[in-house]
Amino acid sequence: MTLPINCEPLKTLIRTVPDFPKPGILFYDITTVLKDKAGFATLIDAFAQYYIGKEIDLVLGIEARGFIFGPALAYRLNAGFVPVRKPKKLPAPTARVTYDLEYGTDALEIHLDAIQPGERVVIVDDLLATGGTMQATVELVRQLGGEIAGLGFAIELDFLKGREKFQQYDVLSLLHYDE
Ligand SMILES: O=P(O)(O)OC[C@H]1O[C@H](OP(=O)(O)OP(=O)(O)O)[C@H](O)[C@@H]1O
Ligand SMILES: Nc1ncnc2[nH]cnc12
């Protein structure tokens, strides 16, 4: 059995920015790990190692930062990639769900024909905070009849307890922060 990839050393490559985008928010900036070739590869390798062999048909990436990890992971899993987008970006008929954010509200859409009923889907995003964004995406997948095989995050902000929204799902977070 292969040992799980330890991503903990990558914390040195993640920049924290106080009071962005609003006062009181400590922003976890992944651009500093993405530009590090070993850092980015380690994150994709860690996701891939977890999902290989789980018969994943589709990887869904949530706009915008889920688009960074989703396609690279889909390629490694020999799966398709589906973008979940902010409103009015997708050209064909869509399903839409609105949700609350750590710092505002927003909505997400998916093409109605993006998932066939029963297809096995992994949803990826850069960060789990309150879980509102992922919860909206889970709802979109359920509306289309997809089977949720996993929810994957590069970073989880444990203190916001977003994970509690997903108790019936397999949640993978590569890095955890307590504050
Ligand atoms: O768990 P939550 O409280 O829902 O927060 C997490 C979401 O917030 C950020 O995206 P944001 O909405 O800022 O959009 P962006 O990726 O377009 O910057 C982040 O990339 C996640 O998608
Ligand atoms: N604190 C945070 N840092 C980066 N992305 C976020 N998305 C929601 N909360 C965030």
Side-chain angles (χ1 to χ4, degrees), residues 50-120:
Y50 191 77
Y51 295 116
I52 280 172
K54 294 187 174 161
E55 298 182 354
I56 307 304
D57 297 305
L58 295 171
V59 177
L60 268 60
I62 306 175
E63 186 172 358
R65 288 172 256 157
F67 291 2
I68 296 164
F69 298 104
L73 177 61
Y75 181 79
R76 290 286 302 275
L77 298 182
N78 197 25
F81 173 73
V82 171
V84 174
R85 297 215 59 182
K86 302 281 167 74
K88 299 185 178 174
K89 298 288 187 184
L90 292 169
T94 58
R96 177 191 289 205
V97 169
T98 56
Y99 62 99
D100 293 323
L101 265 182
E102 192 187 3
Y103 40 72
T105 65
D106 219 330
L108 287 170
E109 295 183 348
I110 191 169
H111 274 144
L112 287 176
D113 62 0
I115 302 171
Q116 299 310 306
E119 281 191 303
R120 286 173 58 75

Side-chain angles (χ1 to χ4, degrees), residues 17 20-21 25-30 65 101-103 126-130 133 155 157 159-160:
V17 182
F20 182 88
I25 300 289
L26 180 63
F27 191 88
Y28 291 81
D29 177 19
I30 57 166
R65 288 172 256 157
L101 265 182
E102 192 187 3
Y103 40 72
D126 68 320
L127 183 140
L128 172 60
T130 65
T133 305
I155 297 173
L157 304 186
F159 55 96
L160 293 175

Side-chain angles (χ1 to χ4, degrees), residues 17 23 34 51 55 113 119 124 143 151 163 172 174 178:
V17 182
L34 297 175
Y51 295 116
E55 298 182 354
D113 62 0
E119 281 191 303
V124 292
Q143 284 183 23
L151 310 177
R163 179 177 284 263
L172 168 68
L174 303 179
D178 288 330

